Amino acid sequence: MRHIISLLMANEAGALSRVSGLFSARGYNIESLTVAPTEDATLSRMTIVTSGSDEVIEQINKQLNKLVDVVSVMDLSDGDHIERELMLVKVRAEGADREELKRMSDIFRGNVIDVSDKTYTIELTGAGSKLDSFLQAIDRRLILETVRTGASGIGRGERILKI
Amino acid sequence: MELTGAEITIRCLQEEGVEYVFGYPGGAVLFIYDELFKQEAVKHVLVRHEQAAVHAADGYARSTEKVGVALVTSGPGVTNAVTGIATAYMDSIPMVVISGQVSTSFIGEDAFQEVDAVGITRPCVKHNFLVKDIKDLAATLKKAFYLAKSGRPGPVLVDIPKDISSMKTAFEYPSTVNIRSYHPQVAGDANLVKQAAQMLLEAKRPMVYAGGGVILSDAAKQLAELVRLVDAPCTNTLMGLGGYPASDKQFVGMLGMHGTYEANMGMQNCDVLLAVGARFDDRVIGNVAHFNSVPRRIVHIDIDPASISKRVKVDVPLVGDVGNVLTDLIKVLKSSKQKPDAAAHKDWWKQIDEWRGANSLSYKNSSEIIKPQFVIETLHKITRGDAYITSDVGQHQMWAAQYYKFDKPRRWINSGGLGTMGFGLPAAMGVQLAHPGETVACVTGEGSIQMNIQELSTCKQFNLPIKVIALNNRYLGMVRQWQEFFHGNRYSQSYMDALPDFVKLAEAYGHVGILVEKPSDVEGALQEAFARKDELVFLDFRTDSTENVYPMVPGGKGLSEVILAEDL
Ligand SMILES: Cc1cc2nc3c(=O)[nH]c(=O)nc-3n(C[C@H](O)[C@H](O)[C@H](O)COP(=O)(O)OP(=O)(O)OC[C@H]3O[C@@H](n4cnc5c(N)ncnc54)[C@H](O)[C@@H]3O)c2cc1C
Ligand SMILES: Cc1ncc(C[n+]2csc(CCOP(=O)(O)OP(=O)(O)O)c2C)c(N)n1
Ligand SMILES: [Mg+2]
């Protein structure tokens, strides 16, 4: 099953490689991994999307907790949570396509953030599945490049990951 | 007053009460070696290969309650140390390895003798550090020692660039450590302890399975008391030997691939299993599905939550230090009105005794050819079971584990998790230095000993009167055994040709060598060797090259699907 795991870790050099190394060494799946410092500059927050049996997920949580740099771990999938991913898509936008692409972007609540004679760059956020749908909804041949951040996640309401 | 990084390093070692550093010098650690030279509190043991430095620090740690310390230079110094570090990691041994690194301004430039030490060792250390600021050095070393010995112990590497070792800063050794992301749980949950006690009291066929965690926690006393209270048979893993006295009547021997019949049958047929500081290794429970095919309830005590329900699902997870949790458990058991089910236990013990009757460790001795088991039994007799025994890896290791009956913890020193050939001799050096005047023997094979034989030179320099017990079967015996059983007797590359004359070799290093070829000479040779209290004696026993280790649970099989000697 797919799980989205959030963790706080010391913002130390090499901390990221400890997490990614753990996943490769133990053969765990890693669908996406995002990381950036938090409001407390000594801490980074990471969101990992992974999948596996209940036993594997339990081990992943324990092994992550065991890393000395990791302060705390929360399996967001254990409860209500919100997931968002950012995608930038550059599309060929000429002639009739220009209008159509703008319309699709609006439907998906995207923003056109860069415009040239022949291209648009569209910014979209949402759950990964929404971003997938957008890519399916537009004409594939028009896609010049896409870049996605991978999911970031946070618990709903009082589900808080903090130290 | 300001001190250099090198001075700070040595001062930290002194503050930690480090007695011995095992190491080998080189460019990146020259400032540190210079400081070592100027003081006497921390003694340095010059090995002949960095792998041996780490194994010696490891042996020192295993035979004491202290942290082992090794010091190596950058590049090849660190890479040579990696096998030793991984060995300590797999067996959870507390150790600090200090490595030199190229100067900070050179890092990343493929500088002379530069390797990414933190990167290379990352998967086989508990934690590691690269010190990039002289101001962090003392606190980092403090953290390293704290991490190495607390919680589930393990090796910690501190990589110190050369320029850091010559820079100056004010020195203050922190008196406490606080790592906000690291808080090992040492006390067991009180409710779960009660549940566990209840389960044990209700058991009709209880079994205690105790591992290396008992040794690491120094909890042999508590274990013995608990086993008596719950009236259960007790088995030890290879790493746990000595954690429960082998001569006690409730002991059923080692379990696992080469465990006794009674231990493995007990594991398979018990109704409540108490696992204490043991990690359900594949060499211990064999095939997991087969192990799970019979119902039993499991209580598991381990300080590392990740060891619990990793391979086998448990019913009562008790995260905590073995010593603490056993003490709590004993208290609850003692205050309970309920007593173990005497009638059921009587039947259980009868069953255990029946399995014992299979005599799974019996072997046919010979008057023609030396049987390796006989050498170990005689070794036990001559040393009155009171020696520190280190071992290499192979058949000889299993025979030492099976036939040297360990009654005390920290006497049996071997590489279980990584299975590192070449571990035995350097580990014995660490043990002998930690226990001067005590009897230390290294049981080895003609294959393994050659992986670190250069250490005979270190032994000479530091007057280490280790007794090397080589069971020379002219084969990589453990490999040969598998080839005999599972690869149609095709002995591919398991034959040890062109062996050196070990007697002359020992003599060349300035030691005593004795060749033993007849069973009738075994006892006399051992007596002579151990009478030479101040000398290293290398005993080259020419043993039966066709002997196999029994019992054996073949890889992938269940614990009750065992091959006994008499089956063949
Ligand atoms: C050739 C060969 C053959 C082998 N055959 C066998 C065999 O037949 N039988 C056998 O048993 N092994 C055998 N082994 C060894 C095997 O590979 C494992 O190393 C061994 O079984 C592991 O022992 P353990 O479960 O006691 O765990 P260890 O590796 O000793 O781990 C200790 C456990 O205790 C925990 N712990 C540590 N400190 C504490 C504390 N203070 N409080 C609580 N918990 C703590 C740790 O977290 C860990 O889970 C063999 C090895 C070799 C090389
Ligand atoms: C460094 C290393 N290389 C290879 C092995 C695989 N191996 C395990 S036992 C063994 C044979 C050991 O031979 P020897 O030391 O003569 O012991 P014996 O089994 O004959 O008693 C080998 C090669 C190992 N454990 N360690
Ligand atoms: Mg051999």
Side-chain angles (χ1 to χ4, degrees):
Chain A
M1 216 187 57
R2 179 177 180 275
H3 280 250
I4 176 161
I5 296 171
S6 243
L7 61 92
L8 286 173
M9 61 184 196
N11 199 358
E12 300 278 348
L16 172 61
S17 66
R18 290 184 207 277
V19 174
S20 59
L22 170 74
F23 275 74
S24 62
R26 294 190 182 264
Y28 302 144
N29 296 320
I30 197 161
E31 194 179 291
S32 70
L33 184 160
T34 66
V35 61
T38 64
E39 75 283 4
D40 172 351
T42 66
L43 285 177
S44 285
R45 176 145 173 171
M46 190 182 274
T47 308
I48 302 167
V49 178
T50 182
S51 58
S53 62
D54 290 351
E55 291 76 34
V56 168
I57 298 295
E58 182 181 334
Q59 266 297 310
I60 290 176
N61 276 293
K62 287 173 168 178
Q63 294 290 347
L64 284 170
N65 262 309
K66 196 168 146 178
L67 292 175
V68 170
D69 284 336
V70 170
V71 184
S72 56
V73 181
M74 184 192 253
D75 187 339
L76 292 174
S77 325
D78 283 348
D80 284 348
H81 66 279
I82 305 161
E83 236 181 277
R84 288 291 180 272
E85 182 175 357
L86 168 70
M87 173 167 73
L88 304 178
V89 198
K90 189 178 287 178
V91 286
R92 180 67 68 212
E94 292 176 298
D97 292 336
R98 235 172 142 77
E99 193 51 32
E100 172 63 9
L101 285 164
K102 175 76 177 70
R103 207 175 61 83
M104 289 305 286
S105 165
D106 289 344
I107 292 175
F108 280 84
R109 295 176 197 280
N111 294 312
V112 177
I113 54 170
D114 184 52
V115 178
S116 74
D117 293 354
K118 295 179 178 163
T119 66
Y120 275 160
T121 299
I122 300 168
E123 172 198 31
L124 269 168
T125 40
S129 53
K130 171 180 156 184
L131 308 188
D132 294 341
S133 313
F134 178 76
L135 293 177
Q136 269 152 25
I138 62 172
D139 185 347
R140 265 201 95 75
R141 286 165 305 179
L142 300 179
I143 300 173
L144 298 173
E145 54 179 311
T146 61
V147 52
R148 299 172 65 151
T149 58
S152 288
I154 196 162
R156 279 193 189 273
E158 295 301 314
R159 280 192 90 202
I160 294 162
L161 177 64
K162 207 168 168 70
I163 48 167
Chain B
M1 201 184 73
E2 300 215 313
L3 300 185
T4 66
E7 286 172 299
I8 290 173
T9 305
I10 302 304
R11 283 286 294 278
C12 291
L13 297 182
Q14 291 170 351
E15 294 280 344
E16 286 293 330
V18 174
E19 196 183 3
Y20 288 106
V21 170
F22 301 88
Y24 207 89
V29 283
L30 278 176
F31 289 114
I32 299 176
Y33 271 87
D34 201 33
E35 287 313 315
L36 269 172
F37 189 83
K38 296 178 191 159
Q39 54 85 58
E40 272 167 7
V42 180
K43 296 185 272 289
H44 182 272
V45 178
L46 177 69
V47 294
R48 301 305 189 257
H49 187 297
E50 288 87 349
Q51 181 188 347
V54 183
H55 289 330
D58 183 326
Y60 180 89
R62 289 183 203 233
S63 68
T64 61
E65 290 146 55
K66 299 183 202 156
V67 177
V69 182
L71 171 60
V72 299
T73 193
S74 67
V78 180
T79 53
N80 270 351
V82 169
T83 301
I85 296 172
T87 302
Y89 180 69
M90 289 297 278
D91 291 341
S92 307
I93 304 306
M95 177 187 295
V96 171
V97 178
I98 298 173
S99 53
Q101 180 55 279
V102 301
S103 288
T104 45
S105 58
F106 291 125
I107 289 179
E109 295 185 346
D110 301 319
F112 176 63
Q113 295 196 326
E114 177 184 2
V115 295
D116 174 9
V118 162
I120 281 186
T121 58
R122 196 190 59 232
C124 60
V125 291
K126 180 167 173 184
H127 198 59
N128 56 19
F129 300 94
L130 168 63
V131 182
K132 283 190 285 198
D133 185 340
I134 176 76
K135 292 199 193 70
D136 296 337
L137 180 59
T140 303
L141 283 162
K142 178 81 188 178
K143 279 186 199 166
F145 277 90
Y146 172 64
L147 287 170
K149 67 187 169 205
S150 59
R152 179 177 184 167
V156 179
L157 177 114
V158 181
D159 202 29
I160 306 179
K162 186 167 186 177
D163 56 338
I164 300 283
S165 69
S166 67
M167 272 174 212
K168 283 189 164 186
T169 194
F171 172 67
E172 193 194 338
Y173 199 57
S175 54
T176 54
V177 200
N178 181 19
I179 304 173
R180 68 179 162 181
S181 51
Y182 178 77
H183 307 282
Q185 186 180 336
V186 291
D189 179 281
N191 278 327
L192 290 176
V193 168
K194 278 193 200 126
Q195 266 186 44
Q198 194 53 35
M199 217 175 251
L200 285 163
L201 286 170
E202 282 165 8
K204 303 212 174 311
R205 301 183 307 280
M207 176 95 186
V208 176
Y209 145 59
V214 174
I215 314 271
L216 292 163
S217 168
D218 285 304
K221 251 211 193 112
Q222 292 93 313
L223 178 67
E225 184 171 4
L226 179 105
V227 169
R228 206 159 24 76
L229 279 174
V230 298
D231 182 38
C234 179
T235 179
N236 277 154
T237 66
L238 181 71
M239 297 312 297
L241 292 173
Y244 191 86
S247 56
D248 187 86
K249 62 180 193 318
Q250 280 176 256
F251 190 60
V252 288
M254 181 172 83
L255 81 164
M257 181 174 274
H258 295 297
T260 65
Y261 188 61
E262 53 272 34
N264 286 338
M265 292 303 279
M267 281 294 278
Q268 196 67 13
N269 293 288
C270 62
D271 68 341
V272 175
L273 178 65
L274 173 64
V276 190
R279 54 188 176 83
F280 292 91
D281 187 81
D282 50 291
R283 295 242 155 168
V284 169
I285 56 161
N287 184 309
V288 177
H290 183 277
F291 184 74
N292 286 334
S293 66
V294 283
R296 66 171 92 58
R297 287 184 296 170
I298 303 178
V299 179
H300 190 180
I301 306 173
D302 203 294
I303 202 156
D304 179 2
S307 280
I308 297 180
S309 292
K310 181 171 67 175
R311 306 192 65 241
V312 169
K313 197 118 200 97
V314 312
D315 302 280
V316 184
L318 276 169
V319 178
D321 174 63
V322 166
N324 287 339
V325 178
L326 286 183
T327 305
D328 292 350
L329 204 47
I330 288 167
K331 248 186 240 151
V332 176
L333 286 168
K334 277 186 165 165
S335 65
S336 169
K337 285 187 201 75
Q338 198 175 340
K339 294 290 157 233
D341 182 340
H345 285 205
K346 202 171 157 217
D347 291 345
W348 179 228
W349 278 109
K350 199 171 144 239
Q351 175 66 75
I352 299 279
D353 284 336
E354 234 166 71
W355 288 324
R356 272 178 173 154
N359 247 328
S360 61
L361 289 182
S362 64
Y363 65 96
K364 263 197 215 76
N365 210 347
S366 155
S367 54
E368 305 293 312
I369 187 157
I370 300 177
K371 290 287 181 181
Q373 302 94 326
F374 173 63
V375 178
I376 305 294
E377 281 182 339
T378 314
L379 173 67
H380 182 266
K381 182 172 138 195
I382 300 290
T383 57
R384 288 178 302 279
D386 208 26
Y388 288 84
I389 305 288
T390 74
S391 163
D392 266 304
V393 171
Q395 291 182 313
H396 61 273
Q397 175 188 23
M398 293 300 111
W399 287 315
Q402 292 174 329
Y403 295 93
Y404 197 97
K405 309 287 182 189
F406 293 92
D407 273 338
K408 294 182 197 162
R410 298 194 183 276
R411 297 285 165 135
W412 167 237
I413 313 269
N414 82 135
S415 163
L418 201 66
T420 309
M421 290 171 68
F423 175 80
L425 180 59
M429 304 190 314
V431 176
Q432 186 76 76
L433 281 159
H435 306 278
E438 296 281 339
T439 305
V440 181
C442 164
V443 175
T444 184
E446 79 298 333
S448 294
I449 191 69
Q450 292 190 77
M451 287 216 179
N452 266 323
I453 192 126
Q454 77 287 345
E455 295 310 312
L456 286 174
S457 173
T458 310
C459 293
K460 186 68 195 170
Q461 183 178 345
F462 292 87
N463 298 314
L464 304 176
I466 295 158
K467 305 300 177 275
V468 179
I469 315 290
L471 303 181
N472 181 349
N473 52 8
R474 281 84 65 211
Y475 273 104
L476 299 175
M478 187 55 94
V479 173
R480 189 202 59 73
Q481 175 167 348
W482 282 60
Q483 290 170 333
E484 179 186 328
F485 287 11
F486 313 117
H487 298 276
N489 298 301
R490 290 178 298 280
Y491 298 138
S492 177
Q493 307 300 319
S494 55
Y495 179 64
M496 268 290 180
D497 210 350
L499 284 169
D501 178 333
F502 286 111
V503 170
K504 281 196 189 142
L505 188 69
E507 286 167 1
Y509 278 107
H511 303 301
V512 178
I514 304 176
L515 175 65
V516 193
E517 293 178 294
K518 290 203 297 272
S520 53
D521 292 340
V522 168
E523 183 162 346
L526 281 167
Q527 242 148 10
E528 182 189 342
F530 285 98
R532 292 176 178 266
K533 288 221 170 312
D534 302 324
E535 283 166 302
L536 184 149
V537 183
F538 192 118
L539 290 141
D540 179 3
F541 290 99
R542 296 296 162 84
T543 57
D544 185 349
S545 55
T546 63
E547 190 58 54
N548 289 322
V549 181
Y550 296 109
M552 179 170 190
V553 178
K557 293 281 185 185
L559 283 182
S560 53
E561 302 171 307
V562 54
I563 308 175
L564 297 171
E566 70 208 36
D567 291 346
L568 296 152

